[in-house]
Amino acid sequence: MLVEGENYRTVWMEGSVVKLINQLKLPREFSVFSCSGYRDTADAIRSMVVRGAPAIGATACYGMAQAALAGVSLDVAEKELGTTRPTANDLQDAIKHFKKNFNGKNAVEVAEGYANKSIERCRKIGEYGEKLIKNNSKILTHCNAGWLGCVDYGTATAPLYIAKQKGRNFFVWVDETRPRLQGAKLTSWELMQAGIDHAVIADNAAGYFMKKGEVDLVIVGADRIAANGDVANKIGTYGKAVLAKENNVPFYVAAPASTFDLKAKTGKDIKIEERDENEIHFVENTRVTPAKSKARNPAFDITPMKYITGLITEEGILNPWEKPESLL
Amino acid sequence: MLVEGENYRTVWMEGSVVKLINQLKLPREFSVFSCSGYRDTADAIRSMVVRGAPAIGATACYGMAQAALAGVSLDVAEKELGTTRPTANDLQDAIKHFKKNFNGKNAVEVAEGYANKSIERCRKIGEYGEKLIKNNSKILTHCNAGWLGCVDYGTATAPLYIAKQKGRNFFVWVDETRPRLQGAKLTSWELMQAGIDHAVIADNAAGYFMKKGEVDLVIVGADRIAANGDVANKIGTYGKAVLAKENNVPFYVAAPASTFDLKAKTGKDIKIEERDENEIHFVENTRVTPAKSKARNPAFDITPMKYITGLITEEGILNPWEKPESLL
C-alpha cells in the first residue's frame, strides 16, 4: 500500500537483511527496522516491531531464509522463530512452508514466494469482501487486521481498500483497542494514508454506536480459527461480536485459509497468551494505576462460531461453520 | 473513608472555602483542591477535579452555600453551577434542595445536611448490597462509582466496603474505563486503600473473564435512571450488561433514589454528553492517534432495563422495573 505516495510492504529482504516497517514507532514516525540475522528477526517478532498473524508468518519465513543463508541449522532456527509468539497459526505454517520448499539454495525465493502468496490471498479477501460494503456503509473494525498486520492489503481492511479503489464511499469506526492501541495507532494511520473517512472510538463506545444504528457491518481479523469455526482474535473481539448479534449487525471475520487450525477442535483448544501486566499499568510510558496495584492482561479471546455471520477468505465468503475447500 | 489511615470525605467546607480531593492528581498524588468562590467550585466540577453524580451534587450544594455566603443571587449561582455537566441528575437535585431549604442564614448547614444525607444513603446501599457478596465472590465493576464519586462509601463500592468491614474475602475486577481511566486510576486506588484484593483489566477483557466463569457478579453505578428503569452510566456499561446477560452473570446497578429522573420516561429521554475528542487522541498527554485523525467520544451510554438484575438503593434492592418508595 502507499505511504505518502510510495509503495510499501510490511516486510521485505535486501541482501541478507530483513526489513520491517517499525510498527512500534507508528503513527508518530514512519521508519524501517533492519534485522541482520534470524535472531534479530525473532526479537523483532517478539517485541512486536511486526505484529498480525500473516505479517508474523512472512517475517518468520524471511527469518528462516536468513538462517539458511547463514548456514544455521533449520531446526535451530525453527526453535527460535517458532516460539516468538504463542497464538498465531501462520507462524508455524510459514516455518513449515520454508522447511518443505527449501532445496539448499533457494532461500530467498522460498520466502519471497511465501510473501507474494500472502499478498495475493489478502487481495482476494478484499475482492470477495468488498461486496459487503455498500455506498454510505458504516463499518466497525477492532484492532489492526490491516496491511500492517499482513504483507499488503490486510485482512479485515482488504475489503475497505478494494471498495475504495472501486470508488465507493463509506465510513469506518476504529476501536482504539486497549491495551496496545493498535486501532488508534495503526488502523487509523492506514485509513488516513488511504484517504478513507473514519473515527477512532474507545472500545467502550462500540456498543453505543451499534445500538444507535450507526454500525452496518463489523469486520475483524483472526489469529486462529478452530475446526468448529470458533475464532481467536484480539481481546475484545468476543464482546463486539456479542454486541453485534444483540443489535442485529452482521459480524464478519476476514482471514486467509492458513488461519484455520483444524487440530484445534474448538476455541477451548486454543491457548490464550496472557501478556505482561505492565501493558495495563502503563500507557505510553506513564503509569496510570497506583504503584503496586495488580492487573491481568489476556491478549486474545475466543468468539464462538454462533456470533459470526460469515468468514471472508481468499476462497470466498463462507458460512461460519464451513472450512475453506483447500483444507478439505 | 481512610486515606493512609486518616478519615476523609471527597468534599467539605472550611469557612467559605470548598475543599475537594483533587481526583485529577490521583493515583499519583493525594492532594486537596481549594475553591474560594462558587465560580471556582463550578470550574472544579466542569474540569472534573470532582466527578461522580453524588459528589457533583454535594459539591454543587456547597457551591450554592458559597454563593449565598457571598450575597450572590441564588438564580445566578444556579445558572452557573447547574450547567457544569449535562448528565448527572444529582446536580439539579442538590441545587433545588439548597434553594428550598435556605432561609437566609443557614447556608453551610443546608449544604452539610445534604452531604450527610448523601453519606447515609451510600452506607445503606452498602448494607443492602453486601448481602450479594459471598465469600470468594469475584465482582466486576466499571468506572469509579466509588467513594471518590460520592461524599463517602460510594455507590457500586459501598457493598464492597461494608462486606470487607464484615470480614468477607472477595476479589474485584476493575475495568480500566477508557477514555478517562477512572477504574485504573481511582477505583484501584480506593480498593488498595481499603485493602481489597483486585486486578485492573482492559475494558476489552471483561467479556473474556465473564465467559471463563471468573465473574460472579457485576455492580456498577448510575448517572441517571429513567422512569422505565433504563440506566445512563459511563460509556461501556451497556456492553458489560449485554455480556453479563449472555453469560448469566447477575448485573446490579447501585444508586441512590436521587439518581432516578422520572421526567425521563425511557433512556431515549436522557441526553448523552459527547466530550472532547482529544480524550481519545491523547492518553496522559501523549497523542496516540495520527495527527489530524478524527475521534468520537460519547461519555455515557444507556443500558436498557432488560439487562439489569436489580437496583441497589438506600431503600433496598429493587427489581429493575421498580422505583424507590420515596418517589411514589
Side-chain angles (χ1 to χ4, degrees), chain B:
Chain B
M1 303 297 294
L2 294 176
V3 179
E4 285 152 37
E6 261 192 84
N7 232 324
Y8 274 93
R9 298 175 171 194
T10 52
V11 53
W12 67 98
M13 211 159 169
E14 291 179 14
S16 63
V17 177
V18 170
K19 301 268 186 171
L20 296 163
I21 293 179
N22 188 343
Q23 303 190 33
L24 295 172
K25 302 261 181 175
L26 287 176
R28 276 187 282 276
E29 181 192 327
F30 176 75
S31 64
V32 173
F33 188 92
S34 296
C35 309
S36 49
Y38 79 98
R39 284 168 169 278
D40 300 337
T41 304
D43 277 342
I45 296 172
R46 217 177 275 120
S47 63
M48 297 175 83
V49 170
V50 60
R51 17 71 48 211
I56 288 171
T59 304
C61 205
Y62 280 115
M64 290 297 287
Q66 282 181 299
L69 291 176
V72 174
S73 140
L74 294 191
D75 290 341
V76 168
E78 177 178 21
K79 205 170 165 192
E80 177 88 15
L81 287 157
T83 55
T84 44
R85 292 288 299 278
T87 308
N89 194 43
D90 285 25
L91 179 62
Q92 309 307 330
D93 193 61
I95 293 170
K96 266 183 228 138
H97 176 90
F98 188 88
K99 289 180 83 173
K100 190 173 160 194
N101 292 285
F102 179 56
N103 66 9
K105 45 191 176 175
N106 60 347
V108 176
E109 289 114 286
V110 173
E112 285 289 331
Y114 184 88
N116 287 336
K117 273 189 193 149
S118 182
I119 293 171
E120 182 55 17
R121 283 194 293 264
C122 287
R123 203 189 56 74
K124 282 186 177 161
I125 286 170
E127 289 287 347
Y128 286 113
E130 65 89 10
K131 290 171 185 66
L132 300 170
I133 298 170
K134 312 263 180 291
N135 243 331
N136 305 316
S137 280
K138 292 181 176 176
I139 301 113
L140 181 129
T141 189
H142 189 67
C143 198
N144 178 255
W147 72 268
L148 290 169
C150 297
V151 188
D152 210 344
Y153 291 105
T155 54
T157 55
L160 308 176
Y161 296 133
I162 303 286
K164 178 76 181 171
Q165 285 172 9
K166 296 193 176 178
R168 227 154 305 146
N169 275 317
F170 53 90
F171 175 88
V172 182
W173 296 107
V174 180
D175 282 350
E176 64 176 4
T177 320
R178 277 283 290 157
R180 294 183 68 96
L181 296 168
Q182 295 96 332
K185 292 179 172 184
L186 303 178
T187 303
S188 62
W189 182 83
E190 283 193 18
L191 295 177
M192 282 193 78
Q193 295 290 338
I196 293 173
D197 193 20
H198 65 281
V200 181
I201 56 173
D203 300 296
N204 279 325
Y208 171 83
F209 288 112
M210 287 189 206
K211 187 153 155 284
K212 278 188 80 179
E214 294 195 37
V215 181
D216 299 309
L217 176 67
V218 181
I219 309 179
V220 300
D223 282 76
R224 202 179 281 214
I225 303 175
N228 74 335
D230 289 353
V231 168
N233 191 45
K234 183 59 52 197
I235 190 76
T237 302
Y238 164 63
K240 307 317 171 224
V242 171
L243 282 163
K245 182 148 197 144
E246 194 73 7
N247 289 285
N248 297 311
V249 176
F251 187 94
Y252 283 89
V253 174
S258 62
T259 315
F260 284 78
D261 177 10
L262 301 185
K263 289 197 301 284
K265 283 187 187 151
T266 75
K268 287 190 180 138
D269 300 319
I270 299 175
K271 183 184 168 184
I272 297 295
E273 176 184 8
E274 190 150 340
R275 293 180 58 85
D276 191 328
E277 65 178 279
N278 282 331
E279 290 183 357
I280 304 297
H281 292 308
F282 291 83
V283 188
E284 301 297 293
N285 301 319
T286 302
R287 182 153 188 143
V288 292
T289 58
K292 296 185 190 168
S293 64
K294 295 257 179 298
R296 289 283 299 277
N297 185 22
F300 300 90
D301 59 24
I302 304 293
T303 300
M305 184 265 274
K306 68 173 172 177
Y307 298 105
I308 297 167
T309 310
L311 304 169
I312 311 171
T313 76
E314 72 274 33
E315 301 178 30
I317 299 184
L318 309 178
N319 285 305
W321 56 87
E322 292 179 326
K323 284 169 261 303
E325 260 190 46
S326 65
L327 303 181
L328 299 177

Side-chain angles (χ1 to χ4, degrees), chain A:
Chain A
M1 304 297 295
L2 294 176
V3 179
E4 285 152 36
E6 262 194 83
N7 232 324
Y8 274 93
R9 296 175 173 193
T10 52
V11 54
W12 67 97
M13 211 158 169
E14 291 178 14
S16 63
V17 177
V18 170
K19 301 268 187 172
L20 295 164
I21 293 179
N22 188 342
Q23 303 192 33
L24 295 171
K25 302 261 180 174
L26 288 176
R28 275 187 283 275
E29 182 193 327
F30 176 75
S31 64
V32 173
F33 189 92
S34 296
C35 310
S36 47
Y38 80 97
R39 285 169 169 277
D40 298 339
T41 303
D43 277 342
I45 297 172
R46 215 176 277 120
S47 63
M48 296 176 85
V49 169
V50 59
R51 17 71 49 211
I56 288 171
T59 304
C61 205
Y62 281 114
M64 290 297 287
Q66 282 181 301
L69 290 176
V72 174
S73 140
L74 294 190
D75 291 340
V76 168
E78 177 177 22
K79 207 172 165 192
E80 177 88 16
L81 287 157
T83 54
T84 44
R85 291 288 299 277
T87 307
N89 195 42
D90 286 24
L91 179 62
Q92 309 308 331
D93 193 59
I95 293 170
K96 265 184 230 140
H97 176 90
F98 188 87
K99 289 181 83 174
K100 191 174 160 192
N101 292 285
F102 179 56
N103 66 9
K105 44 193 175 175
N106 60 348
V108 176
E109 289 115 284
V110 174
E112 285 290 330
Y114 183 89
N116 287 337
K117 273 188 193 151
S118 181
I119 292 172
E120 184 53 17
R121 282 193 293 264
C122 287
R123 202 190 57 74
K124 282 186 177 161
I125 287 170
E127 289 288 347
Y128 286 113
E130 65 88 11
K131 290 170 185 68
L132 300 170
I133 299 170
K134 313 261 179 293
N135 244 329
N136 304 315
S137 280
K138 291 182 175 174
I139 301 112
L140 181 127
T141 190
H142 189 66
C143 197
N144 178 255
W147 72 269
L148 290 169
C150 297
V151 188
D152 210 344
Y153 291 105
T155 54
T157 55
L160 308 176
Y161 296 133
I162 303 285
K164 179 76 180 174
Q165 284 172 9
K166 296 193 175 178
R168 228 154 303 145
N169 275 316
F170 53 90
F171 175 87
V172 182
W173 295 108
V174 180
D175 283 349
E176 63 177 6
T177 320
R178 278 283 290 156
R180 295 183 68 95
L181 296 167
Q182 294 97 332
K185 292 181 172 182
L186 304 178
T187 304
S188 63
W189 182 83
E190 282 193 18
L191 296 177
M192 282 193 80
Q193 295 290 340
I196 293 173
D197 194 19
H198 65 281
V200 181
I201 57 173
D203 301 296
N204 279 324
Y208 171 83
F209 288 112
M210 286 189 206
K211 187 154 155 284
K212 278 187 81 180
E214 294 195 37
V215 181
D216 299 308
L217 176 67
V218 180
I219 309 179
V220 300
D223 281 76
R224 202 179 280 214
I225 303 175
N228 73 335
D230 289 354
V231 168
N233 192 45
K234 182 61 51 197
I235 190 77
T237 302
Y238 164 64
K240 306 319 171 222
V242 170
L243 282 162
K245 181 145 200 148
E246 193 74 7
N247 289 284
N248 298 311
V249 176
F251 187 94
Y252 283 88
V253 174
S258 62
T259 315
F260 285 78
D261 177 9
L262 302 185
K263 289 196 301 286
K265 284 186 184 151
T266 75
K268 286 191 182 139
D269 299 320
I270 299 175
K271 183 184 169 184
I272 298 295
E273 177 184 6
E274 189 149 342
R275 293 180 58 84
D276 191 329
E277 65 178 276
N278 281 333
E279 291 184 356
I280 304 296
H281 292 308
F282 290 84
V283 188
E284 301 295 295
N285 302 318
T286 301
R287 182 151 189 144
V288 293
T289 58
K292 297 184 190 170
S293 64
K294 295 256 179 295
R296 289 283 299 275
N297 186 21
F300 299 91
D301 60 24
I302 304 294
T303 300
M305 185 265 275
K306 68 174 174 178
Y307 298 106
I308 297 167
T309 310
L311 303 169
I312 310 171
T313 76
E314 72 273 33
E315 301 178 28
I317 299 184
L318 310 179
N319 285 306
W321 57 86
E322 292 178 326
K323 283 168 260 307
E325 259 189 47
S326 65
L327 302 181
L328 299 178

